[in-house]
Amino acid sequence: MPQSVKSDVPGTANGRRAAAQRHRVRQDLASAAMHLFATRGYEATTVDEIAAAAGVARRTFFRHFRSKEEAIFPDHDDTLVRVQAVLDSADPHEHPLDTVCRGITEVLRMYAQVPEVSVARYRLTREVPTLREREISSVARYERLFTRYLLGHFDEGAQRDGDDDPLLAEVAASAVVAAHNHVLRRWLRGGGKGDVEAELDHAFDVIKATFGSAIGAGRIPARASLDQPPAVSRYGEVVVAVARTDASPAEILRSIEEALRRRP
């Protein structure tokens, strides 16, 4: 592998230095943009002025951001990668809603890392509609990611009447994002003071109490067809039946009776 390529491989010493340099440049550009927007106004500020204030060339600016409004949110792309990593590495036994809550905590930590910058950005986005729209667009990316993740845990092909998992998955994803936004805005309006993660954990408890026991409750085992009775297992003389929460008592009794008849 050529040395020029090796030097940028993530995980190598040179790769880590390149990533750190990239991060510094992005932060410098973001700080310059925020300062100029606040002092000169968003519309009056140009990309050239932002680049000059950060001490880089115009072309360097466009290597990091596609537009001047994007420079106000330098960390969303990297945070999205971290959130995806949380979802990808989740324990298969973890409830998917718990995984999503851990994922969005990464977003909160991005804001909480430097409270004064986040508070200043919040105030700026309240004053400039274009920046507020950009922020809304960034948040929507997380919501789409969480919705896909939750939906991915349910077999939509095995749906039948009364299976509300897909609906609950989409609503739960929206609820997690809404809870994060509610806690974050309240924290930012308060000047970035207090334990914001504890506040978010409380919001998660509310969401889990509402959706946690419902999502997945109506799922049928992956190997079962729509016509099969509830799953049954036998341990010695004990018969264990697993049924949908919406199964009628008669259906449950029939499944147990059939299991007993099939007993060797």
Coordinates of all heavy atoms in Angstrom, one line a residue, residues 50-87:
I50 N -15.8 33.7 6.6 CA -15.7 32.6 7.6 C -14.4 31.9 7.5 O -13.7 31.7 8.5 CB -16.9 31.6 7.5 CG1 -18.2 32.2 7.8 CG2 -16.6 30.4 8.4 CD1 -19.4 31.3 7.5
A51 N -14.0 31.6 6.3 CA -12.7 30.9 6.1 C -11.5 31.8 6.5 O -10.6 31.3 7.2 CB -12.6 30.5 4.6
A52 N -11.6 33.0 6.2 CA -10.5 34.0 6.5 C -10.4 34.1 8.1 O -9.3 34.1 8.6 CB -10.8 35.3 5.9
A53 N -11.6 34.2 8.7 CA -11.6 34.3 10.2 C -11.0 33.0 10.9 O -10.4 33.1 11.9 CB -13.0 34.5 10.7
A54 N -11.2 31.9 10.2 CA -10.6 30.6 10.7 C -9.2 30.4 10.3 O -8.6 29.4 10.8 CB -11.5 29.4 10.3
G55 N -8.7 31.2 9.4 CA -7.3 31.1 9.0 C -7.1 30.0 7.9 O -6.0 29.4 7.8
V56 N -8.1 29.7 7.1 CA -8.0 28.7 6.1 C -8.5 29.3 4.8 O -9.1 30.3 4.7 CB -8.8 27.4 6.4 CG1 -8.3 26.8 7.7 CG2 -10.3 27.7 6.5
A57 N -8.2 28.5 3.7 CA -8.7 29.0 2.4 C -10.2 28.6 2.1 O -10.7 27.7 2.8 CB -7.8 28.3 1.3
R58 N -10.8 29.3 1.2 CA -12.2 29.0 0.8 C -12.4 27.5 0.5 O -13.3 26.9 0.9 CB -12.6 29.9 -0.4 CG -14.0 29.6 -0.9 CD -14.2 30.4 -2.2 NE -15.4 30.1 -2.8 CZ -16.6 30.6 -2.6 NH1 -16.7 31.6 -1.7 NH2 -17.7 30.3 -3.2
R59 N -11.4 26.9 -0.3 CA -11.6 25.6 -0.7 C -11.5 24.6 0.5 O -12.1 23.5 0.5 CB -10.5 25.2 -1.8 CG -9.1 25.2 -1.2 CD -8.1 24.9 -2.3 NE -6.7 24.9 -1.9 CZ -6.0 26.1 -1.9 NH1 -6.5 27.2 -2.4 NH2 -4.7 26.1 -1.4
T60 N -10.8 25.0 1.5 CA -10.7 24.2 2.7 C -12.1 24.2 3.4 O -12.5 23.1 3.9 CB -9.7 24.7 3.7 OG1 -8.4 24.7 3.1 CG2 -9.6 23.9 5.0
F61 N -12.7 25.3 3.4 CA -14.1 25.4 4.0 C -15.0 24.4 3.3 O -15.7 23.6 4.0 CB -14.7 26.8 3.8 CG -16.1 26.9 4.3 CD1 -16.4 27.3 5.6 CD2 -17.2 26.6 3.5 CE1 -17.7 27.4 6.1 CE2 -18.5 26.6 3.9 CZ -18.7 27.1 5.2
F62 N -15.0 24.3 2.0 CA -15.9 23.4 1.2 C -15.4 22.0 1.3 O -16.2 21.1 0.9 CB -16.0 23.9 -0.2 CG -16.9 25.1 -0.3 CD1 -16.4 26.4 -0.7 CD2 -18.3 25.0 0.0 CE1 -17.2 27.5 -0.8 CE2 -19.1 26.1 -0.1 CZ -18.6 27.4 -0.5
R63 N -14.2 21.7 1.8 CA -13.9 20.3 2.0 C -14.6 19.8 3.3 O -14.7 18.6 3.5 CB -12.3 20.2 2.2 CG -11.6 20.1 0.9 CD -10.2 19.4 1.0 NE -9.3 20.2 1.9 CZ -8.5 21.1 1.4 NH1 -8.4 21.3 0.1 NH2 -7.7 21.7 2.3
H64 N -15.0 20.7 4.1 CA -15.6 20.3 5.4 C -17.1 20.5 5.4 O -17.8 19.8 6.1 CB -14.9 21.1 6.6 CG -13.5 20.7 6.8 ND1 -13.1 19.7 7.6 CD2 -12.4 21.3 6.3 CE1 -11.8 19.6 7.6 NE2 -11.3 20.5 6.9
F65 N -17.6 21.6 4.8 CA -19.0 21.9 4.8 C -19.5 22.3 3.4 O -18.8 22.8 2.6 CB -19.3 23.1 5.8 CG -18.8 22.9 7.2 CD1 -17.7 23.5 7.6 CD2 -19.4 22.0 8.0 CE1 -17.2 23.3 8.9 CE2 -19.0 21.7 9.3 CZ -17.9 22.4 9.8
R66 N -20.8 21.9 3.2 CA -21.4 22.2 1.9 C -21.9 23.7 1.8 O -22.2 24.2 0.7 CB -22.5 21.2 1.6 CG -22.0 19.8 1.3 CD -23.2 18.9 1.0 NE -24.0 18.7 2.1 CZ -23.9 17.7 3.0 NH1 -22.9 16.8 2.8 NH2 -24.7 17.5 4.0
S67 N -22.2 24.3 3.0 CA -22.8 25.6 3.0 C -22.4 26.3 4.3 O -22.0 25.6 5.3 CB -24.3 25.5 2.9 OG -24.9 24.8 3.9
K68 N -22.7 27.6 4.4 CA -22.3 28.3 5.6 C -23.2 27.9 6.8 O -22.8 27.9 7.9 CB -22.4 29.8 5.4 CG -23.7 30.4 5.0 CD -23.6 31.9 4.8 CE -24.9 32.6 4.5 NZ -24.8 34.0 4.4
E69 N -24.5 27.6 6.5 CA -25.4 27.2 7.6 C -25.0 25.8 8.2 O -25.1 25.6 9.4 CB -26.9 27.1 7.2 CG -27.2 26.2 6.1 CD -27.2 26.8 4.8 OE1 -26.6 27.9 4.6 OE2 -27.9 26.3 3.8
E70 N -24.4 25.0 7.3 CA -23.9 23.7 7.8 C -22.8 23.8 8.8 O -22.6 22.9 9.7 CB -23.5 22.8 6.6 CG -23.3 21.3 7.0 CD -23.0 20.5 5.8 OE1 -23.9 20.1 5.1 OE2 -21.8 20.2 5.6
A71 N -22.0 24.9 8.7 CA -20.9 25.1 9.6 C -21.3 25.3 11.0 O -20.5 25.1 11.9 CB -20.1 26.3 9.1
I72 N -22.5 25.6 11.3 CA -23.0 25.9 12.6 C -23.2 24.5 13.4 O -23.2 24.5 14.6 CB -24.3 26.6 12.6 CG1 -24.1 28.1 12.2 CG2 -25.0 26.6 14.0 CD1 -23.3 28.8 13.3
F73 N -23.3 23.4 12.6 CA -23.5 22.1 13.2 C -22.4 21.2 12.8 O -22.6 20.2 12.0 CB -24.9 21.6 12.8 CG -26.0 22.6 13.0 CD1 -26.5 23.3 12.0 CD2 -26.5 22.7 14.3 CE1 -27.6 24.2 12.2 CE2 -27.5 23.6 14.6 CZ -28.1 24.4 13.5
P74 N -21.2 21.4 13.3 CA -20.0 20.6 12.7 C -20.0 19.1 13.2 O -19.3 18.4 12.6 CB -18.8 21.4 13.3 CG -19.3 21.9 14.6 CD -20.8 22.3 14.3
D75 N -20.7 18.8 14.2 CA -20.6 17.5 14.8 C -21.6 16.4 14.5 O -21.6 15.3 14.9 CB -20.5 17.6 16.4 CG -19.3 18.4 16.8 OD1 -18.2 18.3 16.2 OD2 -19.5 19.2 17.8
H76 N -22.7 16.9 13.8 CA -23.8 15.9 13.5 C -23.4 14.7 12.7 O -23.8 13.6 13.0 CB -24.9 16.7 12.8 CG -25.8 17.4 13.8 ND1 -26.5 16.7 14.8 CD2 -26.2 18.7 13.9 CE1 -27.2 17.6 15.5 NE2 -27.0 18.8 15.0
D77 N -22.5 14.9 11.7 CA -22.1 13.8 10.9 C -21.4 12.7 11.7 O -21.6 11.5 11.6 CB -21.2 14.2 9.7 CG -22.0 15.0 8.6 OD1 -23.3 14.9 8.6 OD2 -21.4 15.7 7.8
D78 N -20.4 13.2 12.5 CA -19.6 12.3 13.3 C -20.5 11.6 14.4 O -20.4 10.4 14.7 CB -18.5 13.0 14.0 CG -17.4 13.4 13.0 OD1 -17.3 12.8 11.9 OD2 -16.6 14.3 13.4
T79 N -21.5 12.4 14.9 CA -22.4 11.8 15.9 C -23.3 10.8 15.3 O -23.6 9.7 16.0 CB -23.2 13.0 16.6 OG1 -22.3 13.9 17.2 CG2 -24.1 12.4 17.7
L80 N -23.7 11.0 14.1 CA -24.6 10.0 13.4 C -23.8 8.7 13.3 O -24.4 7.6 13.4 CB -25.0 10.6 12.1 CG -26.2 9.9 11.4 CD1 -27.5 10.3 12.2 CD2 -26.4 10.4 10.0
V81 N -22.5 8.8 13.0 CA -21.7 7.6 12.9 C -21.6 6.9 14.3 O -21.8 5.6 14.3 CB -20.3 7.9 12.4 CG1 -19.4 6.7 12.5 CG2 -20.4 8.4 11.0
R82 N -21.5 7.6 15.3 CA -21.4 7.0 16.7 C -22.8 6.4 17.0 O -22.8 5.3 17.6 CB -21.0 8.0 17.7 CG -19.6 8.5 17.6 CD -19.1 9.1 18.9 NE -19.9 10.2 19.3 CZ -19.8 11.5 18.9 NH1 -18.9 11.8 18.0 NH2 -20.6 12.4 19.4
V83 N -23.8 7.0 16.7 CA -25.2 6.5 17.0 C -25.4 5.2 16.2 O -25.9 4.2 16.8 CB -26.3 7.5 16.6 CG1 -27.6 6.9 16.7 CG2 -26.2 8.7 17.6
Q84 N -25.0 5.2 15.0 CA -25.1 4.0 14.2 C -24.3 2.8 14.8 O -24.7 1.7 14.8 CB -24.7 4.2 12.7 CG -24.8 3.0 11.8 CD -26.3 2.7 11.5 OE1 -27.0 3.5 10.8 NE2 -26.7 1.6 12.0
A85 N -23.1 3.2 15.3 CA -22.3 2.2 15.9 C -22.9 1.6 17.2 O -22.8 0.4 17.4 CB -20.9 2.8 16.3
V86 N -23.6 2.4 17.9 CA -24.4 1.9 19.1 C -25.4 0.9 18.7 O -25.6 -0.2 19.3 CB -25.0 3.1 19.9 CG1 -26.0 2.6 20.9 CG2 -24.0 4.0 20.5
L87 N -26.2 1.2 17.6 CA -27.2 0.3 17.1 C -26.6 -1.0 16.6 O -27.1 -2.1 16.8 CB -28.0 1.0 16.0 CG -28.7 2.4 16.4 CD1 -29.5 2.9 15.3 CD2 -29.6 2.2 17.7

